């Protein structure tokens, strides 16, 4: 390329530089993922999905979170109620609460109050219903557990 | 030095072969039409859903870089308002339509890419992010950086009227090659992550059964619930998935195996959608970048010719 006029190679050189930078950007999150923290900067992301192995038994847990009010009423929370989407709600709130995280339950109550303008003292507790599905030779078996986290306004 | 020159020559031949721009134009039309008429209306948050997210109680959870930047520079009070979002949404659709018909193609594509990046980034600033749109969004940006309106466009009609039939250029293939490699990279790094984190145990069948059951129950997909109960089938599907992901890169370099990989990929994504609800139809649409519609037509040798590489209307 050295014998070519500069103007004719400028474009391809710029594109080459662009390609190399883009590749470097794509390699970084993959390397980062291997070392631990997962990079979630869209659109250049680590692509490892469903990457962990599971051993038998095959079982999964679904969690449904509700808010219990002082009047005894119960309202099942949907992600939209909190300005979230499905996976975000599961990852940030439902999952940790189902595992017994009381701090997250309190944060959820705070967020719900801000979202709905519920008055202080109106929320009695955060309740989580966990349904554990287990695959057996006889088919799918489900059992249910409840968790209740009393809520106090901050 | 000689060796370096050979590498540079090979690089240029691969990335910058001569082309009339027809391949790129066809891909522009296919991908932009899919984004406008399929993905935006059916698989991405609607304007109303964006506005609901905007009204959320505590704002962004984990803002993407573009959203953080816009919140900092023009200011959140200016950008993240219903009126701005509404105008931006319809401007994005307008830019998409303009890119589709090839009117001021590169400017339109830049605006369409910007709008698409903005709305996807916005949706992914509330605690969850997905991969499906990533390569498609990058391709939209590439349309703005390449002669994507050289053929099959209003720009081409106008140019032909003014200056006659166009020749060939060396800058109309690299976006397609880049998308091919990005697709291969997405599969390969996914396969590598499975083997690195799960090892060969990832193919034990139980792994796929667990993931499938989890998503099938979440999205109420009877086919997924049924398939998750068949261990042997899940072992075979796991092995096939790893083999596909680790070797898809062959489709980029070996033309003969391409149809098998593209058909396999389409089946894989369709199967994942039906059993696990994960939407990766964007990848199937991007497979258009593998089809060489110019092959056999009046295409020059395909070799890199620097004399015209720089001319990219």
């Amino acid at each position: 390329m050295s014998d070519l006029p500069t103007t004719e190679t400028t474009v391809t050189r710029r594109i080459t530089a662009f390609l190399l930078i883009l590749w470097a950007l794509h390699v970084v999150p993959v390397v980062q993922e291997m070392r631990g923290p997962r990079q979630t900067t869209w659109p250049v992301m680590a692509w490892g999905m469903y990457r962990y192995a599971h051993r038998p038994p095959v079982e999964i847990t679904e969690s449904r979170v509700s808010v219990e009010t002082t009047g005894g009423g119960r309202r099942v929370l949907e992600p939209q109620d909190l300005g979230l989407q499905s996976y975000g709600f599961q990852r940030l709130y439902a999952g940790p609460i189902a595992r017994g995280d009381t701090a997250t339950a309190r944060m959820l109550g705070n967020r719900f109050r801000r979202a709905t303008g519920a008055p202080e003292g109106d929320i009695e507790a955060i309740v989580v219903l966990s349904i554990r599905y287990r695959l057996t030779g006889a088919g799918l078996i489900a059992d249910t557990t409840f968790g209740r986290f009393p809520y106090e306004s901050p | 030095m000689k060796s370096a020159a050979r590498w540079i020559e090979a690089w240029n031949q691969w990335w910058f072969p001569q082309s009339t721009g027809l391949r790129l134009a066809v891909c522009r039309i296919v991908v932009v039409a899919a984004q406008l008429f399929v993905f935006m209306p059916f698989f991405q948050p609607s304007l109303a859903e964006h506005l609901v997210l905007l009204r959320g109680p505590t704002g962004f959870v984990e803002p993407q870089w573009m959203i953080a930047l816009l919140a900092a520079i023009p200011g959140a009070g200016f950008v993240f308002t219903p009126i701005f979002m509404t105008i931006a949404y319809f401007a994005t659709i307008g830019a998409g339509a303009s890119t589709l018909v090839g009117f001021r193609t590169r400017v339109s594509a830049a605006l369409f890419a910007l709008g698409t990046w903005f709305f996807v980034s916005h949706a992914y600033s509330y605690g969850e992010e997905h991969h499906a749109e990533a390569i498609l969004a990058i391709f939209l940006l590439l349309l703005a950086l390449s002669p994507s309106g050289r053929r099959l466009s209003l720009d081409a009609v106008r140019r032909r009227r003014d200056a006659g039939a166009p020749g060939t250029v060396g800058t109309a293939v690299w976006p397609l090659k880049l998308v091919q490699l990005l697709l291969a990279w997405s599969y390969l790094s996914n396969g590598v992550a499975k083997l690195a984190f799960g090892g060969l145990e990832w193919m034990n069948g139980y792994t796929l059964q667990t993931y499938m059951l989890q998503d099938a129950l979440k999205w109420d997909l009877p086919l997924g619930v049924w398939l998750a109960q068949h261990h042997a089938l899940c072992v075979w599907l796991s092995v096939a998935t790893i083999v596909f992901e680790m070797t898809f890169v062959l489709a980029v370099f070996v033309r003969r195996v391409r149809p098998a990989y593209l058909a396999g990929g389409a089946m894989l994504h369709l199967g994942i959608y039906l059993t696990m609800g994960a939407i990766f139809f964007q990848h199937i649409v991007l497979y258009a970048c593998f089809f060489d519609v110019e092959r056999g037509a009046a295409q020059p040798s395909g070799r890199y010719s620097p004399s015209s590489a720089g001319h990219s209307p």
Side-chain angles (χ1 to χ4, degrees), chain B residues 224-264:
Chain B
V225 175
W226 175 82
L227 191 58
Q229 296 180 58
H230 291 78
H231 178 73
L233 210 49
C234 285
V235 172
W236 283 107
L237 287 172
S238 308
V239 173
T241 301
I242 293 287
V243 169
F244 174 83
E245 289 182 339
M246 297 298 285
T247 61
F248 182 86
V249 68
L250 289 173
V252 177
F253 299 103
V254 185
R255 197 181 289 270
R256 268 182 308 172
V257 301
R258 211 169 266 182
Y261 273 97
L262 300 185

Side-chain angles (χ1 to χ4, degrees), chain A residues 1-2 4-20, chain B residues 8-9 11-18 145 147 169-174 303-312:
Chain A
M1 280 170 62
S2 58
L4 298 170
T6 312
T7 49
E8 292 172 350
T9 57
T10 303
V11 171
T12 53
R13 280 183 181 167
R14 282 183 187 160
I15 294 170
T16 297
F18 172 78
L19 292 169
L20 294 175
Chain B
I8 292 170
E9 183 65 19
W11 172 276
N12 285 331
Q13 279 185 21
W14 199 77
W15 285 103
F16 308 115
Q18 288 298 295
L145 301 176
V169 283
T171 51
V173 172
W174 70 270
R303 288 176 64 83
Y304 168 69
S305 167
S307 61
S308 55
H311 303 292
S312 44

Side-chain angles (χ1 to χ4, degrees), chain B residues 104-168:
Chain B
R104 305 272 183 228
T105 314
R106 293 177 74 161
V107 175
S108 300
L111 293 174
F112 189 43
L114 192 68
T116 303
W117 282 49
F118 171 69
F119 281 103
V120 176
S121 296
H122 179 248
Y124 291 168
S125 292
Y126 295 88
E128 77 177 70
E129 59 285 318
H130 299 284
H131 299 78
E133 300 88 355
I135 300 178
L136 190 146
I138 291 171
F139 181 68
L140 295 182
L141 179 70
L142 301 183
L143 291 177
L145 301 176
S146 59
S148 57
R150 192 179 163 79
R151 298 286 300 273
L152 307 179
S153 65
L154 294 178
D155 288 347
V157 172
R158 184 171 46 83
R159 210 169 20 247
R160 189 168 294 202
R161 203 178 49 215
D162 297 344
T168 59

Side-chain angles (χ1 to χ4, degrees), chain B residues 1-296:
Chain B
M1 284 298 285
K2 240 180 182 179
S3 165
R6 271 207 303 271
W7 275 103
I8 292 170
E9 183 65 19
W11 172 276
N12 285 331
Q13 279 185 21
W14 199 77
W15 285 103
F16 308 115
Q18 288 298 295
S19 161
T20 63
L22 184 62
R23 274 181 79 181
L24 184 60
V26 168
C27 290
R28 181 195 88 226
I29 290 167
V30 169
V31 175
V32 171
Q35 173 64 9
L36 266 183
F37 301 120
V38 181
F39 300 126
M40 272 185 87
F42 298 112
F43 296 108
Q44 285 166 6
S46 64
L47 175 61
E49 286 167 317
H50 279 289
L51 297 181
V52 167
L53 286 173
L54 210 57
R55 284 196 294 268
T58 54
F60 306 121
V61 178
E62 294 161 343
Q64 292 291 339
W65 66 268
M66 190 181 191
I67 298 303
L69 189 72
L70 288 172
I73 297 175
F78 173 71
V79 177
F80 302 106
T81 57
I83 183 102
F84 181 90
M85 296 287 273
T86 305
I87 292 169
Y89 193 82
F90 289 108
T92 301
I93 292 174
S98 182
T99 311
L100 184 65
V101 298
F103 175 70
R104 305 272 183 228
T105 314
R106 293 177 74 161
V107 175
S108 300
L111 293 174
F112 189 43
L114 192 68
T116 303
W117 282 49
F118 171 69
F119 281 103
V120 176
S121 296
H122 179 248
Y124 291 168
S125 292
Y126 295 88
E128 77 177 70
E129 59 285 318
H130 299 284
H131 299 78
E133 300 88 355
I135 300 178
L136 190 146
I138 291 171
F139 181 68
L140 295 182
L141 179 70
L142 301 183
L143 291 177
L145 301 176
S146 59
S148 57
R150 192 179 163 79
R151 298 286 300 273
L152 307 179
S153 65
L154 294 178
D155 288 347
V157 172
R158 184 171 46 83
R159 210 169 20 247
R160 189 168 294 202
R161 203 178 49 215
D162 297 344
T168 59
V169 283
T171 51
V173 172
W174 70 270
L176 307 174
K177 296 261 174 109
L178 180 56
V179 167
Q180 292 175 11
L181 282 175
L182 286 175
L183 286 168
W185 177 251
S186 73
Y187 293 125
L188 182 68
S189 59
N190 203 350
V192 168
K194 286 186 178 94
L195 293 177
F197 287 91
L200 293 177
E201 213 175 17
W202 196 91
M203 293 178 275
N204 63 11
Y206 301 112
T207 299
L208 187 57
Q209 282 183 288
T210 305
Y211 286 129
M212 197 174 280
L213 189 63
Q214 180 180 292
D215 286 353
L217 287 172
K218 180 180 171 69
W219 301 115
D220 195 18
L221 300 167
L223 185 63
V225 175
W226 175 82
L227 191 58
Q229 296 180 58
H230 291 78
H231 178 73
L233 210 49
C234 285
V235 172
W236 283 107
L237 287 172
S238 308
V239 173
T241 301
I242 293 287
V243 169
F244 174 83
E245 289 182 339
M246 297 298 285
T247 61
F248 182 86
V249 68
L250 289 173
V252 177
F253 299 103
V254 185
R255 197 181 289 270
R256 268 182 308 172
V257 301
R258 211 169 266 182
Y261 273 97
L262 300 185
M267 281 184 343
L268 175 81
H269 291 306
L270 192 62
I272 290 173
Y273 174 68
L274 293 173
T275 57
M276 300 171 76
I279 296 158
F280 272 93
F281 296 142
Q282 288 88 344
H283 278 209
I284 298 177
V285 169
L286 288 170
Y287 287 171
C289 295
F290 283 92
F291 291 98
D292 190 351
V293 291
E294 283 181 76
R295 206 173 176 219

